[in-house]
Structure formats: structure tokens, C-alpha cells
Amino acid sequence: MLSNKFLRLLLVAVLAVCSVTAIAQKSDNIKPRWMHSSVIPSNSTFVYDVVTSDAPSLAKAREQALSSLMIQAGLEGGQTVETNVDSYLHESHSARNDKEDRTADETITVKSTLKGEPVTLTARKVDEYWEHMPDGSYHLSTLYARSPVNVTPRFDDLRLTTNYGGRGLWRSAIVPGWGQFYKGSNLKGGLILGGTVLLAGGIIYTENMRQDYMNKITKTHNTGNIRSYKNSADNFAMGRNVCIGALAALYVYNLVDAIVAPGARRVLVRKNANGGGYALLPSVTYDGGPAMVAQITF
């Protein structure tokens, strides 16, 4: 009877998880970093704008995002606007261990009139993140690089990546789960940190109980009690050893995951205000060892 109830509860839990997963559709498992951390432009000829929009379809949400961008730039609604979208996806993809490096952009030129004068707005669509809501609508967040009207921008040379190199590793080496939190994997980071705390508490508890039974052995001469206390001490010693082994395994997994698993997609700016710049990128040597590559742009 008990096993049947357990199986029913397990089935209900699985169905609930599946239904939530089916409803909560999104473009990425982790929200991009630019949604909660501003991207700083390298020069004053443009700004980065995050535009949100809601619509019945993804195509409509993208149209609304562009309209909102134009309004934010000072192009009021109700004007005659000619929109020219030059979509060269200067797209270069590279992926290793599910971590993605991508260079992609869509240049947008908007021609309009403002107080009777022709104006031009130049923008670049850098990235987007969408969620398919339970009511069927789409909630879209779009990152644009946008110039003021009639200003020719010097847009940054950008790279989108889910790779964090050693940034997550050293954090997780200090506090298990910290690297996962830093990379945007909050659920995984919480599970690792919570598991570490529970296992550490288990080690302390089982060792204290083992020591308590060992102390009881020294205070009695009853062979039956000695045998019982020793069995209990051995059991707690085994529980302590299991907790130590599990904690060690969790810590190693935490380190491997911190450096191998992809994180929230982030924007790397590779040019400075003078048009040059550098970047330090994680790489591997020919024999498979870790390395860093310095990339200099003139």
C-alpha cells in the first residue's frame, strides 16, 4: 500500500514538472547577463538600450521592440518613417563543451522626419531573449546599440559568449556554488551550496555521536552495553565516512561544473574608445592543457 502511494505521488510530481517545462518555453535556459548587468559603451557616439515588448507572436514582439527603440531615441510615433534593415549576421559560431562563442549583429537604419527635418537613426541589434508565456504571448527583451539621431556611431566590436574561463572556478573553489551563482545558474548554485551545508552538518553530527558512544564505552563494564555502544559508534563512523565521501565528490563536481558548464550569455566588448583593444580568451594547448590567448585589435 505504501509503495503504491509513493508511486502515485512520484507520478504526480513528474507530470507537474513536465507540465511546467512544457509551458515555460524560453529562448535560453539562463537569462543573458545583460538583462541585469549594464553593458558599458567604449565611446560617446552610441548607447546600449534594453527594450522589452509583449505581443501575441515573436515577430510582432520584434516589431514592437523596434518601435519602442525609435521612441526612446526621440522619434515620436505618428510620423512617416522608412525603416531599412540591413541584416548582415556577421555570424561566427564556435562551441566547446556546450559553451558558445558567437559574433552576430543586425544593423538597422531608420530614416524619418523630426520637426520637418530629415533625421537618421543607426542601431545595431546585439542580442535577444524571449519567453513564451502561459497565455500564449511572447515577452521579448532585446539589447540594442543605438546612436543619437544624425550621429555616425563607432559601435564596439562585440562577442557573445557563454564561456567564463576561470572566473567561476576560483569562486567555487572558495565557496561551493559561488561560481554557479556568478554564471547565472542560481538553482544549481543553490543545490550545491545547500548540499555542502547539509553534508558538512552530517559530518559534524555523526562524528559527535560516534565520539559520544566511544565515551560511553569507557564508562561501563557491562559487556552487552559495550557491544551495543561499539556497534552504534561503528554505524555513526560509517555515516560520517559516507558524508565525507559525498562532500568530496560534490566539491569536485562543483569545481568541474564551474569551469566546464556554460553560463549566462554575456557581451564582451573588445574595442576601446581609440578603436583598439585587447581581450584575454580561454583556450587549450595542442596537448589538451588549459591556456589563455591574448587577442590584440589595432
Side-chain angles (χ1 to χ4, degrees):
M1 182 66 69
L2 181 60
S3 60
N4 289 338
K5 288 183 178 179
F6 175 76
L7 289 175
R8 283 199 295 269
L9 288 174
L10 181 61
L11 179 60
V12 170
V14 170
L15 291 175
V17 170
C18 292
S19 63
V20 170
T21 304
I23 293 173
Q25 299 179 29
K26 46 194 175 182
S27 56
D28 296 282
N29 292 328
I30 308 175
K31 290 184 178 181
R33 198 172 185 86
W34 50 261
M35 291 184 65
H36 52 81
S37 179
S38 300
V39 183
I40 308 300
S42 66
N43 60 79
S44 60
T45 64
F46 72 100
V47 296
Y48 287 105
D49 278 339
V50 176
V51 178
T52 59
S53 55
D54 295 276
S57 68
L58 190 55
K60 287 292 184 182
R62 287 169 175 155
E63 290 177 9
Q64 289 185 14
L66 181 57
S67 298
S68 298
L69 179 72
M70 291 160 51
I71 293 173
Q72 287 184 205
L75 302 182
E76 301 295 335
Q79 296 175 342
T80 302
V81 177
E82 174 190 352
T83 305
N84 209 356
V85 178
D86 180 14
S87 143
Y88 66 94
L89 287 185
H90 158 231
E91 208 164 33
S92 86
H93 278 269
S94 66
R96 181 181 292 129
N97 296 327
D98 294 328
K99 291 180 288 189
E100 175 190 26
D101 279 358
R102 177 165 63 92
T103 303
D105 53 59
E106 180 180 24
T107 301
I108 301 165
T109 302
V110 179
K111 295 181 178 179
S112 183
T113 55
L114 186 63
K115 297 181 179 178
E117 296 294 328
V119 295
T120 301
L121 169 69
T122 304
R124 178 171 291 177
K125 179 180 175 181
V126 178
D127 197 13
E128 70 176 22
Y129 172 84
W130 56 261
E131 293 177 291
H132 194 188
M133 309 305 288
D135 62 0
S137 65
Y138 283 84
H139 179 74
L140 174 69
S141 298
T142 309
L143 175 64
Y144 288 103
R146 169 186 63 80
S147 72
V149 293
N150 292 337
V151 172
T152 301
R154 299 195 307 275
F155 288 132
D156 289 323
D157 182 14
L158 300 177
R159 183 165 64 94
L160 300 173
T161 182
T162 58
N163 193 350
Y164 284 71
R167 294 176 181 86
L169 177 62
W170 71 261
R171 286 175 169 83
S172 284
I174 298 173
V175 178
W178 185 13
Q180 286 75 13
F181 283 119
Y182 175 75
K183 292 166 63 174
S185 300
N186 295 330
L187 177 59
K188 190 187 295 182
L191 291 174
I192 291 174
L193 181 59
T196 299
V197 172
L198 287 175
L199 289 172
I203 293 172
I204 295 171
Y205 172 74
T206 51
E207 174 58 20
N208 285 341
M209 293 301 296
R210 186 197 70 83
Q211 190 62 47
D212 184 57
Y213 279 106
M214 293 301 295
N215 290 337
K216 288 181 179 180
I217 292 175
T218 63
K219 296 177 181 179
T220 183
H221 298 288
N222 186 304
T223 56
N225 288 342
I226 291 175
R227 188 181 305 109
S228 175
Y229 293 155
K230 189 177 185 307
N231 287 338
S232 297
D234 290 343
N235 289 336
F236 279 110
M238 181 181 297
R240 177 203 59 193
N241 294 338
V242 168
C243 289
I244 291 174
L247 181 59
L250 180 61
Y251 184 75
V252 171
Y253 168 79
N254 152 71
L255 295 180
V256 172
D257 180 82
I259 195 169
V260 170
R265 191 166 58 252
R266 61 196 179 105
V267 178
L268 293 185
V269 179
R270 295 189 290 187
K271 280 195 175 183
N272 59 27
N274 297 322
Y278 70 94
L280 288 175
L281 308 176
S283 183
V284 293
T285 61
Y286 289 109
D287 59 0
M292 295 295 291
V293 176
Q295 177 174 317
I296 301 176
T297 306
F298 297 97

